[in-house]
PDB file of all heavy atoms in Angstrom:
ATOM      1  N   GLU A   1       0.857  -1.197  -0.018  1.00 95.00           N
ATOM      2  CA  GLU A   1       0.007   0.002  -0.010  1.00 95.00           C
ATOM      3  C   GLU A   1       0.865   1.244   0.011  1.00 95.00           C
ATOM      4  O   GLU A   1       0.488   2.309  -0.535  1.00 95.00           O
ATOM      5  CB  GLU A   1      -0.929   0.012   1.211  1.00 95.00           C
ATOM      6  CG  GLU A   1      -2.026  -1.018   1.145  1.00 95.00           C
ATOM      7  CD  GLU A   1      -2.773  -1.189   2.461  1.00 95.00           C
ATOM      8  OE1 GLU A   1      -2.470  -0.561   3.462  1.00 95.00           O
ATOM      9  OE2 GLU A   1      -3.751  -1.955   2.452  1.00 95.00           O
ATOM     10  N   ASP A   2       2.041   1.169   0.606  1.00 96.00           N
ATOM     11  CA  ASP A   2       2.946   2.288   0.688  1.00 96.00           C
ATOM     12  C   ASP A   2       3.912   2.383  -0.507  1.00 96.00           C
ATOM     13  O   ASP A   2       4.862   3.234  -0.449  1.00 96.00           O
ATOM     14  CB  ASP A   2       3.745   2.230   2.036  1.00 96.00           C
ATOM     15  CG  ASP A   2       2.842   2.559   3.204  1.00 96.00           C
ATOM     16  OD1 ASP A   2       1.727   3.109   3.030  1.00 96.00           O
ATOM     17  OD2 ASP A   2       3.248   2.174   4.314  1.00 96.00           O
ATOM     18  N   GLY A   3       3.808   1.513  -1.453  1.00 95.00           N
ATOM     19  CA  GLY A   3       4.641   1.627  -2.637  1.00 95.00           C
ATOM     20  C   GLY A   3       5.791   0.596  -2.833  1.00 95.00           C
ATOM     21  O   GLY A   3       6.720   0.853  -3.592  1.00 95.00           O
ATOM     22  N   LEU A   4       5.666  -0.537  -2.126  1.00 95.00           N
ATOM     23  CA  LEU A   4       6.793  -1.548  -2.274  1.00 95.00           C
ATOM     24  C   LEU A   4       7.014  -1.896  -3.769  1.00 95.00           C
ATOM     25  O   LEU A   4       8.180  -2.074  -4.142  1.00 95.00           O
ATOM     26  CB  LEU A   4       6.389  -2.793  -1.482  1.00 95.00           C
ATOM     27  CG  LEU A   4       7.378  -3.961  -1.576  1.00 95.00           C
ATOM     28  CD1 LEU A   4       8.730  -3.608  -0.997  1.00 95.00           C
ATOM     29  CD2 LEU A   4       6.853  -5.205  -0.850  1.00 95.00           C
ATOM     30  N   ARG A   5       5.999  -1.992  -4.531  1.00 96.00           N
ATOM     31  CA  ARG A   5       6.160  -2.337  -5.955  1.00 96.00           C
ATOM     32  C   ARG A   5       7.145  -1.477  -6.650  1.00 96.00           C
ATOM     33  O   ARG A   5       7.929  -1.910  -7.439  1.00 96.00           O
ATOM     34  CB  ARG A   5       4.798  -2.274  -6.653  1.00 96.00           C
ATOM     35  CG  ARG A   5       4.932  -2.548  -8.168  1.00 96.00           C
ATOM     36  CD  ARG A   5       3.560  -2.246  -8.870  1.00 96.00           C
ATOM     37  NE  ARG A   5       3.651  -2.498 -10.275  1.00 96.00           N
ATOM     38  CZ  ARG A   5       4.110  -1.628 -11.141  1.00 96.00           C
ATOM     39  NH1 ARG A   5       4.480  -0.413 -10.837  1.00 96.00           N
ATOM     40  NH2 ARG A   5       4.145  -1.957 -12.457  1.00 96.00           N
ATOM     41  N   ASP A   6       7.108  -0.179  -6.354  1.00 96.00           N
ATOM     42  CA  ASP A   6       7.920   0.783  -6.993  1.00 96.00           C
ATOM     43  C   ASP A   6       9.369   0.691  -6.632  1.00 96.00           C
ATOM     44  O   ASP A   6      10.286   1.259  -7.252  1.00 96.00           O
ATOM     45  CB  ASP A   6       7.438   2.242  -6.744  1.00 96.00           C
ATOM     46  CG  ASP A   6       6.057   2.428  -7.288  1.00 96.00           C
ATOM     47  OD1 ASP A   6       5.721   1.778  -8.260  1.00 96.00           O
ATOM     48  OD2 ASP A   6       5.340   3.272  -6.697  1.00 96.00           O
ATOM     49  N   THR A   7       9.729  -0.042  -5.552  1.00 96.00           N
ATOM     50  CA  THR A   7      11.091  -0.276  -5.148  1.00 96.00           C
ATOM     51  C   THR A   7      11.756  -1.378  -6.021  1.00 96.00           C
ATOM     52  O   THR A   7      12.974  -1.542  -5.967  1.00 96.00           O
ATOM     53  CB  THR A   7      11.233  -0.580  -3.655  1.00 96.00           C
ATOM     54  OG1 THR A   7      10.656  -1.842  -3.396  1.00 96.00           O
ATOM     55  CG2 THR A   7      10.601   0.511  -2.835  1.00 96.00           C
ATOM     56  N   VAL A   8      10.932  -2.157  -6.740  1.00 97.00           N
ATOM     57  CA  VAL A   8      11.434  -3.170  -7.595  1.00 97.00           C
ATOM     58  C   VAL A   8      11.451  -2.690  -9.019  1.00 97.00           C
ATOM     59  O   VAL A   8      10.476  -2.240  -9.511  1.00 97.00           O
ATOM     60  CB  VAL A   8      10.494  -4.473  -7.511  1.00 97.00           C
ATOM     61  CG1 VAL A   8      11.041  -5.580  -8.368  1.00 97.00           C
ATOM     62  CG2 VAL A   8      10.360  -4.940  -6.068  1.00 97.00           C
ATOM     63  N   SER A   9      12.591  -2.782  -9.685  1.00 97.00           N
ATOM     64  CA  SER A   9      12.742  -2.356 -11.054  1.00 97.00           C
ATOM     65  C   SER A   9      11.876  -3.151 -11.981  1.00 97.00           C
ATOM     66  O   SER A   9      11.606  -4.317 -11.691  1.00 97.00           O
ATOM     67  CB  SER A   9      14.201  -2.517 -11.515  1.00 97.00           C
ATOM     68  OG  SER A   9      15.052  -1.717 -10.734  1.00 97.00           O
ATOM     69  N   PRO A  10      11.414  -2.604 -13.120  1.00 96.00           N
ATOM     70  CA  PRO A  10      10.724  -3.450 -14.116  1.00 96.00           C
ATOM     71  C   PRO A  10      11.615  -4.626 -14.467  1.00 96.00           C
ATOM     72  O   PRO A  10      12.828  -4.495 -14.621  1.00 96.00           O
ATOM     73  CB  PRO A  10      10.548  -2.478 -15.284  1.00 96.00           C
ATOM     74  CG  PRO A  10      10.498  -1.103 -14.647  1.00 96.00           C
ATOM     75  CD  PRO A  10      11.521  -1.207 -13.495  1.00 96.00           C
ATOM     76  N   LYS A  11      10.979  -5.785 -14.535  1.00 97.00           N
ATOM     77  CA  LYS A  11      11.675  -7.037 -14.780  1.00 97.00           C
ATOM     78  C   LYS A  11      12.539  -7.486 -13.551  1.00 97.00           C
ATOM     79  O   LYS A  11      13.319  -8.435 -13.651  1.00 97.00           O
ATOM     80  CB  LYS A  11      12.503  -7.071 -16.013  1.00 97.00           C
ATOM     81  CG  LYS A  11      11.732  -6.662 -17.266  1.00 97.00           C
ATOM     82  CD  LYS A  11      10.715  -7.702 -17.581  1.00 97.00           C
ATOM     83  CE  LYS A  11       9.963  -7.356 -18.896  1.00 97.00           C
ATOM     84  NZ  LYS A  11       8.821  -8.149 -19.151  1.00 97.00           N
ATOM     85  N   GLY A  12      12.352  -6.777 -12.437  1.00 98.00           N
ATOM     86  CA  GLY A  12      13.178  -7.079 -11.234  1.00 98.00           C
ATOM     87  C   GLY A  12      12.565  -8.235 -10.432  1.00 98.00           C
ATOM     88  O   GLY A  12      11.418  -8.638 -10.688  1.00 98.00           O
ATOM     89  N   ASN A  13      13.181  -8.655  -9.411  1.00 98.00           N
ATOM     90  CA  ASN A  13      12.798  -9.779  -8.565  1.00 98.00           C
ATOM     91  C   ASN A  13      12.396  -9.328  -7.189  1.00 98.00           C
ATOM     92  O   ASN A  13      12.988  -8.399  -6.627  1.00 98.00           O
ATOM     93  CB  ASN A  13      13.945 -10.814  -8.495  1.00 98.00           C
ATOM     94  CG  ASN A  13      14.300 -11.376  -9.814  1.00 98.00           C
ATOM     95  OD1 ASN A  13      13.538 -12.128 -10.404  1.00 98.00           O
ATOM     96  ND2 ASN A  13      15.445 -10.997 -10.352  1.00 98.00           N
ATOM     97  N   LEU A  14      11.426 -10.026  -6.634  1.00 98.00           N
ATOM     98  CA  LEU A  14      10.906  -9.821  -5.278  1.00 98.00           C
ATOM     99  C   LEU A  14      10.856 -11.146  -4.578  1.00 98.00           C
ATOM    100  O   LEU A  14      10.235 -12.096  -5.067  1.00 98.00           O
ATOM    101  CB  LEU A  14       9.570  -9.167  -5.319  1.00 98.00           C
ATOM    102  CG  LEU A  14       8.852  -8.924  -3.999  1.00 98.00           C
ATOM    103  CD1 LEU A  14       9.584  -7.891  -3.145  1.00 98.00           C
ATOM    104  CD2 LEU A  14       7.423  -8.472  -4.255  1.00 98.00           C
ATOM    105  N   ILE A  15      11.498 -11.275  -3.427  1.00 98.00           N
ATOM    106  CA  ILE A  15      11.480 -12.485  -2.670  1.00 98.00           C
ATOM    107  C   ILE A  15      10.767 -12.155  -1.331  1.00 98.00           C
ATOM    108  O   ILE A  15      11.202 -11.197  -0.605  1.00 98.00           O
ATOM    109  CB  ILE A  15      12.893 -13.060  -2.386  1.00 98.00           C
ATOM    110  CG1 ILE A  15      13.521 -13.454  -3.740  1.00 98.00           C
ATOM    111  CG2 ILE A  15      12.824 -14.235  -1.462  1.00 98.00           C
ATOM    112  CD1 ILE A  15      14.923 -13.902  -3.631  1.00 98.00           C
ATOM    113  N   LEU A  16       9.734 -12.876  -1.050  1.00 97.00           N
ATOM    114  CA  LEU A  16       8.953 -12.642   0.162  1.00 97.00           C
ATOM    115  C   LEU A  16       8.963 -13.933   1.004  1.00 97.00           C
ATOM    116  O   LEU A  16       8.808 -15.021   0.430  1.00 97.00           O
ATOM    117  CB  LEU A  16       7.507 -12.305  -0.149  1.00 97.00           C
ATOM    118  CG  LEU A  16       7.279 -11.067  -1.070  1.00 97.00           C
ATOM    119  CD1 LEU A  16       5.818 -10.905  -1.348  1.00 97.00           C
ATOM    120  CD2 LEU A  16       7.818  -9.846  -0.419  1.00 97.00           C
ATOM    121  N   SER A  17       9.105 -13.795   2.305  1.00 96.00           N
ATOM    122  CA  SER A  17       8.987 -14.981   3.162  1.00 96.00           C
ATOM    123  C   SER A  17       8.377 -14.478   4.474  1.00 96.00           C
ATOM    124  O   SER A  17       8.130 -13.330   4.668  1.00 96.00           O
ATOM    125  CB  SER A  17      10.362 -15.636   3.421  1.00 96.00           C
ATOM    126  OG  SER A  17      11.227 -14.695   4.028  1.00 96.00           O
ATOM    127  N   GLY A  18       8.055 -15.445   5.335  1.00 94.00           N
ATOM    128  CA  GLY A  18       7.326 -15.109   6.570  1.00 94.00           C
ATOM    129  C   GLY A  18       5.832 -15.157   6.399  1.00 94.00           C
ATOM    130  O   GLY A  18       5.096 -14.529   7.105  1.00 94.00           O
ATOM    131  N   ILE A  19       5.373 -15.914   5.384  1.00 96.00           N
ATOM    132  CA  ILE A  19       3.971 -16.020   5.069  1.00 96.00           C
ATOM    133  C   ILE A  19       3.417 -17.344   5.554  1.00 96.00           C
ATOM    134  O   ILE A  19       4.005 -18.416   5.259  1.00 96.00           O
ATOM    135  CB  ILE A  19       3.798 -15.889   3.525  1.00 96.00           C
ATOM    136  CG1 ILE A  19       4.379 -14.564   3.043  1.00 96.00           C
ATOM    137  CG2 ILE A  19       2.311 -16.048   3.112  1.00 96.00           C
ATOM    138  CD1 ILE A  19       4.593 -14.495   1.525  1.00 96.00           C
ATOM    139  N   LEU A  20       2.301 -17.297   6.213  1.00 96.00           N
ATOM    140  CA  LEU A  20       1.657 -18.491   6.678  1.00 96.00           C
ATOM    141  C   LEU A  20       0.679 -19.000   5.646  1.00 96.00           C
ATOM    142  O   LEU A  20       0.172 -18.229   4.851  1.00 96.00           O
ATOM    143  CB  LEU A  20       0.911 -18.264   8.009  1.00 96.00           C
ATOM    144  CG  LEU A  20       1.817 -17.849   9.194  1.00 96.00           C
ATOM    145  CD1 LEU A  20       0.993 -17.392  10.424  1.00 96.00           C
ATOM    146  CD2 LEU A  20       2.701 -19.070   9.594  1.00 96.00           C
ATOM    147  N   GLY A  21       0.415 -20.293   5.654  1.00 94.00           N
ATOM    148  CA  GLY A  21      -0.455 -20.939   4.651  1.00 94.00           C
ATOM    149  C   GLY A  21      -1.789 -20.264   4.450  1.00 94.00           C
ATOM    150  O   GLY A  21      -2.240 -20.051   3.340  1.00 94.00           O
ATOM    151  N   GLU A  22      -2.437 -19.919   5.521  1.00 95.00           N
ATOM    152  CA  GLU A  22      -3.789 -19.294   5.373  1.00 95.00           C
ATOM    153  C   GLU A  22      -3.733 -17.870   4.806  1.00 95.00           C
ATOM    154  O   GLU A  22      -4.701 -17.333   4.345  1.00 95.00           O
ATOM    155  CB  GLU A  22      -4.545 -19.248   6.731  1.00 95.00           C
ATOM    156  CG  GLU A  22      -3.933 -18.415   7.833  1.00 95.00           C
ATOM    157  CD  GLU A  22      -2.957 -19.211   8.725  1.00 95.00           C
ATOM    158  OE1 GLU A  22      -2.608 -20.310   8.449  1.00 95.00           O
ATOM    159  OE2 GLU A  22      -2.558 -18.592   9.782  1.00 95.00           O
ATOM    160  N   GLN A  23      -2.481 -17.313   4.844  1.00 95.00           N
ATOM    161  CA  GLN A  23      -2.318 -15.955   4.280  1.00 95.00           C
ATOM    162  C   GLN A  23      -1.923 -15.937   2.778  1.00 95.00           C
ATOM    163  O   GLN A  23      -1.972 -14.934   2.139  1.00 95.00           O
ATOM    164  CB  GLN A  23      -1.227 -15.194   5.058  1.00 95.00           C
ATOM    165  CG  GLN A  23      -1.587 -15.020   6.517  1.00 95.00           C
ATOM    166  CD  GLN A  23      -0.379 -14.638   7.381  1.00 95.00           C
ATOM    167  OE1 GLN A  23       0.752 -14.951   7.025  1.00 95.00           O
ATOM    168  NE2 GLN A  23      -0.632 -13.927   8.400  1.00 95.00           N
ATOM    169  N   LEU A  24      -1.551 -17.111   2.298  1.00 96.00           N
ATOM    170  CA  LEU A  24      -1.044 -17.256   0.925  1.00 96.00           C
ATOM    171  C   LEU A  24      -1.968 -16.757  -0.146  1.00 96.00           C
ATOM    172  O   LEU A  24      -1.515 -15.945  -1.000  1.00 96.00           O
ATOM    173  CB  LEU A  24      -0.586 -18.672   0.669  1.00 96.00           C
ATOM    174  CG  LEU A  24      -0.018 -18.909  -0.687  1.00 96.00           C
ATOM    175  CD1 LEU A  24       1.315 -18.123  -0.888  1.00 96.00           C
ATOM    176  CD2 LEU A  24       0.298 -20.404  -0.875  1.00 96.00           C
ATOM    177  N   PRO A  25      -3.261 -17.105  -0.131  1.00 97.00           N
ATOM    178  CA  PRO A  25      -4.111 -16.647  -1.240  1.00 97.00           C
ATOM    179  C   PRO A  25      -4.162 -15.094  -1.325  1.00 97.00           C
ATOM    180  O   PRO A  25      -4.117 -14.573  -2.436  1.00 97.00           O
ATOM    181  CB  PRO A  25      -5.500 -17.242  -0.851  1.00 97.00           C
ATOM    182  CG  PRO A  25      -5.213 -18.425  -0.009  1.00 97.00           C
ATOM    183  CD  PRO A  25      -3.929 -18.058   0.753  1.00 97.00           C
ATOM    184  N   GLY A  26      -4.213 -14.417  -0.216  1.00 96.00           N
ATOM    185  CA  GLY A  26      -4.251 -12.965  -0.235  1.00 96.00           C
ATOM    186  C   GLY A  26      -2.955 -12.367  -0.769  1.00 96.00           C
ATOM    187  O   GLY A  26      -2.963 -11.421  -1.539  1.00 96.00           O
ATOM    188  N   ILE A  27      -1.809 -12.960  -0.394  1.00 97.00           N
ATOM    189  CA  ILE A  27      -0.511 -12.489  -0.865  1.00 97.00           C
ATOM    190  C   ILE A  27      -0.382 -12.735  -2.394  1.00 97.00           C
ATOM    191  O   ILE A  27       0.143 -11.870  -3.141  1.00 97.00           O
ATOM    192  CB  ILE A  27       0.599 -13.070  -0.112  1.00 97.00           C
ATOM    193  CG1 ILE A  27       0.564 -12.569   1.378  1.00 97.00           C
ATOM    194  CG2 ILE A  27       1.977 -12.679  -0.704  1.00 97.00           C
ATOM    195  CD1 ILE A  27       0.687 -11.088   1.606  1.00 97.00           C
ATOM    196  N   LEU A  28      -0.819 -13.882  -2.832  1.00 97.00           N
ATOM    197  CA  LEU A  28      -0.765 -14.164  -4.282  1.00 97.00           C
ATOM    198  C   LEU A  28      -1.617 -13.219  -5.107  1.00 97.00           C
ATOM    199  O   LEU A  28      -1.237 -12.747  -6.171  1.00 97.00           O
ATOM    200  CB  LEU A  28      -1.176 -15.620  -4.590  1.00 97.00           C
ATOM    201  CG  LEU A  28      -0.218 -16.703  -4.053  1.00 97.00           C
ATOM    202  CD1 LEU A  28      -0.798 -18.070  -4.278  1.00 97.00           C
ATOM    203  CD2 LEU A  28       1.163 -16.537  -4.668  1.00 97.00           C
ATOM    204  N   THR A  29      -2.809 -12.883  -4.562  1.00 96.00           N
ATOM    205  CA  THR A  29      -3.674 -11.897  -5.235  1.00 96.00           C
ATOM    206  C   THR A  29      -2.978 -10.517  -5.249  1.00 96.00           C
ATOM    207  O   THR A  29      -3.069  -9.803  -6.227  1.00 96.00           O
ATOM    208  CB  THR A  29      -5.013 -11.836  -4.480  1.00 96.00           C
ATOM    209  OG1 THR A  29      -5.640 -13.141  -4.579  1.00 96.00           O
ATOM    210  CG2 THR A  29      -5.911 -10.765  -5.120  1.00 96.00           C
ATOM    211  N   LEU A  30      -2.360 -10.191  -4.150  1.00 96.00           N
ATOM    212  CA  LEU A  30      -1.666  -8.910  -4.023  1.00 96.00           C
ATOM    213  C   LEU A  30      -0.539  -8.820  -5.077  1.00 96.00           C
ATOM    214  O   LEU A  30      -0.375  -7.802  -5.787  1.00 96.00           O
ATOM    215  CB  LEU A  30      -1.131  -8.762  -2.591  1.00 96.00           C
ATOM    216  CG  LEU A  30      -0.417  -7.511  -2.243  1.00 96.00           C
ATOM    217  CD1 LEU A  30      -1.476  -6.367  -2.081  1.00 96.00           C
ATOM    218  CD2 LEU A  30       0.299  -7.644  -0.923  1.00 96.00           C
ATOM    219  N   LEU A  31       0.247  -9.890  -5.149  1.00 97.00           N
ATOM    220  CA  LEU A  31       1.358  -9.909  -6.164  1.00 97.00           C
ATOM    221  C   LEU A  31       0.814  -9.694  -7.574  1.00 97.00           C
ATOM    222  O   LEU A  31       1.299  -8.907  -8.357  1.00 97.00           O
ATOM    223  CB  LEU A  31       2.157 -11.185  -6.071  1.00 97.00           C
ATOM    224  CG  LEU A  31       3.085 -11.349  -4.888  1.00 97.00           C
ATOM    225  CD1 LEU A  31       3.650 -12.770  -4.860  1.00 97.00           C
ATOM    226  CD2 LEU A  31       4.206 -10.342  -4.946  1.00 97.00           C
ATOM    227  N   ASP A  32      -0.193 -10.477  -7.911  1.00 96.00           N
ATOM    228  CA  ASP A  32      -0.772 -10.416  -9.250  1.00 96.00           C
ATOM    229  C   ASP A  32      -1.323  -8.997  -9.545  1.00 96.00           C
ATOM    230  O   ASP A  32      -1.123  -8.464 -10.557  1.00 96.00           O
ATOM    231  CB  ASP A  32      -1.865 -11.486  -9.387  1.00 96.00           C
ATOM    232  CG  ASP A  32      -2.464 -11.516 -10.798  1.00 96.00           C
ATOM    233  OD1 ASP A  32      -1.682 -11.767 -11.727  1.00 96.00           O
ATOM    234  OD2 ASP A  32      -3.686 -11.290 -10.911  1.00 96.00           O
ATOM    235  N   GLY A  33      -2.010  -8.466  -8.571  1.00 96.00           N
ATOM    236  CA  GLY A  33      -2.595  -7.156  -8.711  1.00 96.00           C
ATOM    237  C   GLY A  33      -1.585  -6.033  -8.873  1.00 96.00           C
ATOM    238  O   GLY A  33      -1.863  -4.936  -9.348  1.00 96.00           O
ATOM    239  N   HIS A  34      -0.324  -6.288  -8.459  1.00 96.00           N
ATOM    240  CA  HIS A  34       0.736  -5.301  -8.551  1.00 96.00           C
ATOM    241  C   HIS A  34       1.700  -5.605  -9.698  1.00 96.00           C
ATOM    242  O   HIS A  34       2.765  -5.018  -9.744  1.00 96.00           O
ATOM    243  CB  HIS A  34       1.463  -5.151  -7.249  1.00 96.00           C
ATOM    244  CG  HIS A  34       0.684  -4.300  -6.236  1.00 96.00           C
ATOM    245  ND1 HIS A  34      -0.209  -4.919  -5.374  1.00 96.00           N
ATOM    246  CD2 HIS A  34       0.697  -3.023  -5.973  1.00 96.00           C
ATOM    247  CE1 HIS A  34      -0.766  -3.970  -4.614  1.00 96.00           C
ATOM    248  NE2 HIS A  34      -0.216  -2.790  -4.958  1.00 96.00           N
ATOM    249  N   GLY A  35       1.319  -6.544 -10.547  1.00 96.00           N
ATOM    250  CA  GLY A  35       2.119  -6.781 -11.740  1.00 96.00           C
ATOM    251  C   GLY A  35       3.277  -7.717 -11.613  1.00 96.00           C
ATOM    252  O   GLY A  35       4.289  -7.723 -12.358  1.00 96.00           O
ATOM    253  N   PHE A  36       3.203  -8.641 -10.544  1.00 98.00           N
ATOM    254  CA  PHE A  36       4.254  -9.636 -10.381  1.00 98.00           C
ATOM    255  C   PHE A  36       3.734 -10.987 -10.820  1.00 98.00           C
ATOM    256  O   PHE A  36       2.570 -11.352 -10.631  1.00 98.00           O
ATOM    257  CB  PHE A  36       4.604  -9.708  -8.914  1.00 98.00           C
ATOM    258  CG  PHE A  36       5.444  -8.559  -8.421  1.00 98.00           C
ATOM    259  CD1 PHE A  36       4.777  -7.391  -7.953  1.00 98.00           C
ATOM    260  CD2 PHE A  36       6.853  -8.577  -8.468  1.00 98.00           C
ATOM    261  CE1 PHE A  36       5.520  -6.317  -7.488  1.00 98.00           C
ATOM    262  CE2 PHE A  36       7.570  -7.471  -8.017  1.00 98.00           C
ATOM    263  CZ  PHE A  36       6.895  -6.340  -7.517  1.00 98.00           C
ATOM    264  N   THR A  37       4.633 -11.729 -11.434  1.00 97.00           N
ATOM    265  CA  THR A  37       4.392 -13.116 -11.757  1.00 97.00           C
ATOM    266  C   THR A  37       5.078 -14.035 -10.798  1.00 97.00           C
ATOM    267  O   THR A  37       6.294 -13.853 -10.577  1.00 97.00           O
ATOM    268  CB  THR A  37       4.896 -13.464 -13.200  1.00 97.00           C
ATOM    269  OG1 THR A  37       4.222 -12.562 -14.123  1.00 97.00           O
ATOM    270  CG2 THR A  37       4.658 -14.863 -13.588  1.00 97.00           C
ATOM    271  N   LEU A  38       4.368 -15.021 -10.219  1.00 98.00           N
ATOM    272  CA  LEU A  38       5.000 -15.977  -9.316  1.00 98.00           C
ATOM    273  C   LEU A  38       5.911 -16.925 -10.059  1.00 98.00           C
ATOM    274  O   LEU A  38       5.465 -17.589 -11.015  1.00 98.00           O
ATOM    275  CB  LEU A  38       3.936 -16.751  -8.569  1.00 98.00           C
ATOM    276  CG  LEU A  38       4.381 -17.762  -7.543  1.00 98.00           C
ATOM    277  CD1 LEU A  38       5.106 -17.073  -6.368  1.00 98.00           C
ATOM    278  CD2 LEU A  38       3.265 -18.607  -7.070  1.00 98.00           C
ATOM    279  N   LYS A  39       7.156 -16.996  -9.665  1.00 98.00           N
ATOM    280  CA  LYS A  39       8.131 -17.890 -10.284  1.00 98.00           C
ATOM    281  C   LYS A  39       8.333 -19.175  -9.436  1.00 98.00           C
ATOM    282  O   LYS A  39       8.478 -20.229 -10.050  1.00 98.00           O
ATOM    283  CB  LYS A  39       9.446 -17.174 -10.461  1.00 98.00           C
ATOM    284  CG  LYS A  39       9.412 -16.001 -11.464  1.00 98.00           C
ATOM    285  CD  LYS A  39       9.058 -16.553 -12.806  1.00 98.00           C
ATOM    286  CE  LYS A  39       9.120 -15.436 -13.863  1.00 98.00           C
ATOM    287  NZ  LYS A  39       8.781 -15.949 -15.172  1.00 98.00           N
ATOM    288  N   THR A  40       8.406 -18.988  -8.146  1.00 97.00           N
ATOM    289  CA  THR A  40       8.643 -20.189  -7.277  1.00 97.00           C
ATOM    290  C   THR A  40       7.963 -19.950  -5.923  1.00 97.00           C
ATOM    291  O   THR A  40       7.875 -18.801  -5.441  1.00 97.00           O
ATOM    292  CB  THR A  40      10.118 -20.376  -7.009  1.00 97.00           C
ATOM    293  OG1 THR A  40      10.799 -20.534  -8.267  1.00 97.00           O
ATOM    294  CG2 THR A  40      10.407 -21.613  -6.169  1.00 97.00           C
TER     295      THR A  40
END
């Protein structure tokens, strides 16, 4: 919400951890909505 997406260059990489299983769907939706493709 505060602009994390803009800290990643176009075609850049973002690694996130510290996510619990029940939180995963929301984080995947967030990534997709901000123009990220899940690689792994």
Side-chain angles (χ1 to χ4, degrees):
E1 290 170 354
D2 291 340
L4 177 63
R5 176 189 181 272
D6 297 331
T7 66
V8 181
S9 299
K11 305 294 181 187
N13 296 289
L14 176 65
I15 297 174
L16 304 176
S17 61
I19 302 163
L20 295 170
E22 64 267 11
Q23 300 166 331
L24 182 61
I27 296 298
L28 292 176
T29 299
L30 186 71
L31 285 173
D32 185 58
H34 283 88
F36 288 88
T37 299
L38 181 65
K39 295 297 186 179
T40 302

